[in-house]
């Protein structure tokens, strides 16, 4: 045993904080990036957004700044910074002098006042189900203990409007709430029946059967409808009208008409009060066709134009070591953020150009011509790792002549075709299945096996279970549940 020193030369990837930041920005969605930039601007006083009045001058200077430090790749920047740190101190004076002549990030498109939403659209708030029920409760003549019970009921409604308590069987919920409100359980049941007649009808019921029965009784529907709801919900879900007709001794036509009436009832009473704000998608890149060529353009509208604050350019000259060190750290952080954002933009454009090149038939002729493609195909073409392609395509959207698509949409497994034809993308097969079912006779819906045979006639070899899986992914019912009897 002996101790000795050895000199060894090796290469390894060092995940510096700057490189981690670049990777994090790369996988962010557009909205997440905007939030991150705003947060960094609040924490880093060196960063500021270029005023709109400076836009025209900066655009004129853009041509001379094409090869700016911000345009370098993450790996090149990391290597350059490592070399600079080895020279005792970064020459910030020279960097800031060069930075002043460089074009900032692309401009933000400002909306005119006419394009902004009205005050009534921004200041209003929709009424919640609890508020709507509470208002009706104040207009009722319930006693104080009954109002306490009703309030507890309102607080235990789920998103559908059903009365539920976590870990408590449905039949015991009323008893629990009655005890908490110091109300007799029998009186609580009567109060609950009155609440179930509040608007929306059927609210505070404990299951689908009770919900539909309350509505059927309220609207005065006939006994056949109520009998089907009371005893034959499973057969109704399976569209097994023959079994219902036999059990209730009614004709199949009467049962079918009653089932059609039941479909007009609301199985989710709280549907109108569920706040689901629309999610607007802002594309990260645009695809334009000029002649026979496609051009990918980054969408920089709404992205702040970042630059180094003029005040801190002078502060770097300070004789105070602590001040100088603080400013240098903030300058380094600002420099990395600007470079990482620009590198993110260029990487997205580069990957999108590769996708467009490989899926040109899709953009020319539609979904039927979407080709199978995996992450490795793009990674090898652009010289990046598959994990990088995955980050780039996640939550990034492309606006194209065919519509708006997430970049991940273009990655599909291949389905084998007969003969010497090329494999077809799984998304194209799904569209084929959807078209076949859309064109079927509703009185004689096609089985999954029949769809397999029709696809095979088109040269698409696929198993029946795969058809069933794709059909479920498309939200299409089985043939027995799609059948219409009259």
């Amino acid at each position: 045993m002996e101790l000795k020193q050895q000199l060894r030369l090796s290469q390894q990837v060092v995940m510096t904080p700057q490189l981690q930041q670049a990777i994090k920005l790369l996988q962010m969605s557009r909205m997440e990036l905007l939030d991150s930039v705003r947060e960094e601007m609040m924490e880093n006083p060196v960063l500021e957004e270029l005023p709109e009045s400076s836009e025209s001058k900066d655009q004129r200077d853009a041509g001379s700044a094409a090869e700016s430090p911000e345009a370098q790749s993450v790996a090149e920047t990391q290597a350059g910074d490592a070399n600079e740190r080895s020279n005792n101190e970064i020459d910030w004076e020279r960097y800031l002098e060069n930075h002043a002549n460089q074009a900032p990030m692309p401009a933000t498109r400002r909306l005119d006042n006419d394009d902004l939403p009205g005050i009534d659209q921004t200041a209003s708030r929709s009424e919640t189900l609890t508020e709507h029920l509470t208002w009706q409760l104040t207009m009722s003549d319930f006693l104080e203990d009954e109002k306490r019970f009703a309030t507890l009921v309102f607080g235990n409604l789920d998103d559908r409007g059903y009365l539920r308590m976590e870990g408590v069987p449905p039949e015991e919920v009323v008893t629990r709430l009655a005890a908490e409100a110091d109300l007799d359980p029998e009186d609580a049941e009567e109060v609950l029946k009155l609440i179930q007649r509040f608007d929306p009808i059927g609210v505070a019921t404990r299951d689908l059967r009770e919900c539909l029965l309350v509505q059927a009784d309220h609207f005065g529907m006939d006994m056949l409808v109520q009998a089907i709801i009371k005893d034959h919900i499973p057969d109704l879900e399976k569209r097994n009208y023959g079994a219902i007709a036999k059990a209730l001794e009614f004709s199949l036509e009467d049962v079918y008409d009653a089932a059609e009436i039941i479909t007009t009832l609301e199985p989710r009473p709280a549907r109108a009060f569920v706040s689901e704000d629309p999610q607007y998608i802002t594309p990260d890149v645009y695809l334009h066709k000029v002649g026979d060529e496609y051009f990918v353009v980054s969408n920089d509208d709404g992205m702040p134009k970042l630059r180094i604050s003029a005040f801190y350019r002078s502060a770097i000259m300070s004789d105070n070591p602590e001040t100088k060190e603080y400013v240098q750290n903030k300058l380094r952080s600002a420099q990395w953020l600007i470079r990482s954002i620009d590198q993110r933009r260029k990487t997205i454009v580069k990957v999108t150009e590769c996708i467009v090149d490989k899926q040109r038939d899709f953009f020319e002729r539609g979904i039927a011509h979407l080709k199978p493609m995996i992450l490795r195909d793009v990674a090898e073409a652009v010289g990046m790792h598959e994990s990088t392609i995955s980050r780039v395509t996640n939550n990034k959207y492309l606006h194209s002549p065919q519509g708006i698509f997430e970049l991940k949409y273009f990655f599909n497994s291949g389905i084998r075709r007969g003969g010497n034809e090329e494999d077809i993308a799984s998304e194209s097969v799904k569209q084929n299945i959807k078209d076949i079912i859309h064109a079927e006779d509703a009185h004689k819906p096609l089985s999954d096996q029949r769809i397999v045979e029709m696809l095979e006639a088109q040269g698409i070899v696929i198993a029946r279970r795969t058809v069933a899986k794709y059909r479920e992914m498309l939200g299409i019912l089985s043939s027995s549940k799609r059948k219409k009897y009259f």
Side-chain angles (χ1 to χ4, degrees):
M1 297 289 293
E2 62 177 342
L3 295 176
K4 60 181 179 179
Q5 291 182 335
Q6 288 183 339
L7 184 63
R8 180 181 299 170
L9 182 64
S10 63
Q11 289 183 336
Q12 61 181 1
V13 177
V14 179
M15 291 292 289
T16 63
Q18 292 84 1
L19 185 56
Q20 292 177 16
Q21 180 193 50
I23 294 174
K24 184 178 179 181
L25 291 178
L26 189 61
Q27 64 188 9
M28 284 183 179
S29 66
R30 183 181 179 85
M31 294 303 298
E32 291 172 339
L33 178 63
L34 286 171
D35 292 340
S36 179
V37 170
R38 296 297 181 190
E39 183 178 348
E40 184 67 21
M41 289 179 66
M42 292 180 65
E43 296 179 357
N44 192 342
V46 173
L47 276 174
E48 69 176 11
E49 187 174 355
L50 190 68
E52 188 176 4
S53 59
S54 304
E55 179 178 339
S56 58
K57 178 181 182 302
D58 293 317
Q59 288 178 342
R60 289 195 300 268
D61 294 339
S64 61
E67 298 299 326
S68 64
E70 285 76 5
Q72 302 301 317
S73 66
V74 172
E76 291 171 344
T77 306
Q78 183 182 5
D81 284 354
N83 292 335
E84 289 178 345
R85 285 194 294 272
S86 65
N87 294 329
N88 299 327
E89 189 178 43
I90 297 176
D91 189 355
W92 287 110
E93 292 86 348
R94 183 177 179 182
Y95 169 75
L96 292 174
E97 180 181 354
N98 293 335
H99 188 277
N101 296 323
Q102 295 165 6
M105 295 300 293
T108 302
R109 181 172 63 185
R110 305 293 182 181
L111 294 176
D112 297 333
N113 290 334
D114 294 340
D115 296 328
L116 297 175
I119 186 65
D120 59 322
Q121 295 177 297
T122 58
S124 62
R125 181 178 65 87
S126 59
E127 186 182 35
T128 65
L129 177 62
T130 301
E131 292 171 343
H132 185 60
L133 294 173
T134 301
W135 172 77
Q136 296 175 74
L137 180 64
T138 59
M139 305 298 289
S140 67
D141 56 355
F142 287 172
L143 300 177
E144 286 302 318
D145 53 355
E146 294 173 341
K147 287 185 177 180
R148 285 198 302 272
F149 171 76
T151 302
L152 291 172
V153 169
F154 300 161
N156 285 278
L157 300 179
D158 62 15
D159 292 340
R160 300 171 298 175
Y162 289 175
L163 178 59
R164 295 292 174 88
M165 286 184 68
E166 188 69 29
V168 179
E171 62 273 8
E172 297 181 11
V173 174
V174 174
T175 304
R176 295 279 188 94
L177 296 181
E180 190 173 345
D182 197 19
L183 181 66
D184 184 84
E186 293 184 3
D187 293 338
E189 286 288 350
E190 294 300 320
V191 173
L192 182 63
K193 289 180 180 179
L194 294 175
I195 293 174
Q196 291 171 352
R197 265 66 179 180
F198 280 10
D199 179 61
I201 303 298
V203 72
T205 49
R206 283 154 287 197
D207 54 33
L208 176 62
R209 174 179 167 276
E210 185 180 18
C211 177
L212 297 180
L213 276 175
V214 168
Q215 295 178 59
D217 180 67
H218 175 80
F219 294 117
M221 295 181 177
D222 59 39
M223 296 304 296
L224 176 58
V225 171
Q226 297 191 37
I228 293 175
I229 295 173
K230 185 177 180 180
D231 300 316
H232 297 280
I233 287 290
D235 286 330
L236 186 64
E237 292 176 343
K238 297 176 183 177
R239 294 176 175 252
N240 192 359
Y241 301 135
I244 298 174
K246 183 177 180 180
L248 298 178
E249 297 182 351
F250 276 85
S251 68
L252 185 62
E253 185 176 354
D254 289 340
V255 171
Y256 182 79
D257 290 340
E260 288 294 304
I261 294 173
I262 293 173
T263 60
T264 64
L265 302 178
E266 176 55 78
R268 299 168 61 96
R271 188 191 303 270
F273 296 90
V274 176
S275 177
E276 294 183 355
D277 296 330
Q279 300 295 321
Y280 298 102
I281 294 176
T282 302
D284 296 86
V285 284
Y286 285 95
L287 180 63
H288 300 288
K289 185 177 182 181
V290 180
D292 294 331
E293 296 296 326
Y294 283 101
F295 296 92
V296 177
V297 180
S298 176
N299 178 19
D300 297 315
D301 289 348
M303 294 298 298
K305 302 176 296 178
L306 300 179
R307 72 173 183 182
I308 305 298
S309 171
F311 173 80
Y312 287 93
R313 295 179 190 177
S314 58
I316 194 67
M317 310 299 181
S318 173
D319 295 330
N320 188 325
E322 294 182 0
T323 302
K324 194 168 186 177
E325 181 181 2
Y326 172 81
V327 174
Q328 286 181 350
N329 289 335
K330 293 300 181 182
L331 282 170
R332 185 178 292 110
S333 177
Q335 177 194 22
W336 264 99
L337 178 65
I338 294 173
R339 289 180 174 180
S340 298
I341 291 175
D342 190 69
Q343 180 63 23
R344 173 187 182 276
R345 177 176 61 84
K346 290 189 173 185
T347 303
I348 293 174
V349 170
K350 185 177 182 180
V351 170
T352 305
E353 287 176 341
C354 179
I355 292 174
V356 171
D357 182 62
K358 291 181 176 295
Q359 298 288 0
R360 186 181 179 91
D361 288 344
F362 166 82
F363 296 107
E364 292 281 356
R365 304 160 68 183
I367 190 172
H369 301 274
L370 187 66
K371 295 181 179 179
M373 186 173 68
I374 59 176
L375 293 174
R376 185 184 304 141
D377 296 334
V378 176
E380 292 176 351
V382 299
M384 297 180 182
H385 195 272
E386 291 179 40
S387 61
T388 304
I389 305 301
S390 178
R391 293 187 181 98
V392 170
T393 56
N394 190 37
N395 291 322
K396 311 298 188 306
Y397 293 87
L398 166 68
H399 184 285
S400 73
Q402 293 287 348
I404 296 179
F405 300 92
E406 186 179 7
L407 293 182
K408 276 193 175 298
Y409 173 83
F410 299 101
F411 295 93
N412 293 273
S413 57
I415 303 295
R416 184 169 57 85
R417 304 188 69 171
N420 297 324
E421 296 187 53
E422 293 183 352
D423 292 350
I424 185 171
S426 58
E427 282 294 330
S428 298
V429 177
K430 291 179 187 177
Q431 186 62 38
N432 267 347
I433 294 173
K434 185 176 181 180
D435 293 340
I436 289 173
I437 294 176
H438 180 73
E440 72 182 2
D441 182 355
H443 300 292
K444 297 180 180 179
L446 300 170
S447 66
D448 291 342
Q449 183 58 41
R450 178 56 182 152
I451 295 175
V452 168
E453 295 170 358
M454 295 177 70
L455 290 174
E456 188 173 354
Q458 300 177 23
I460 302 173
V461 180
I462 188 172
R464 186 194 60 79
R465 62 180 179 274
T466 307
V467 169
K469 181 179 73 172
Y470 286 173
R471 176 176 51 74
E472 291 173 359
M473 292 172 67
L474 292 168
I476 299 175
L477 299 174
S478 62
S479 58
S480 62
K481 295 182 179 181
R482 296 199 307 272
K483 184 175 181 180
K484 291 186 177 181
Y485 289 84
F486 301 99

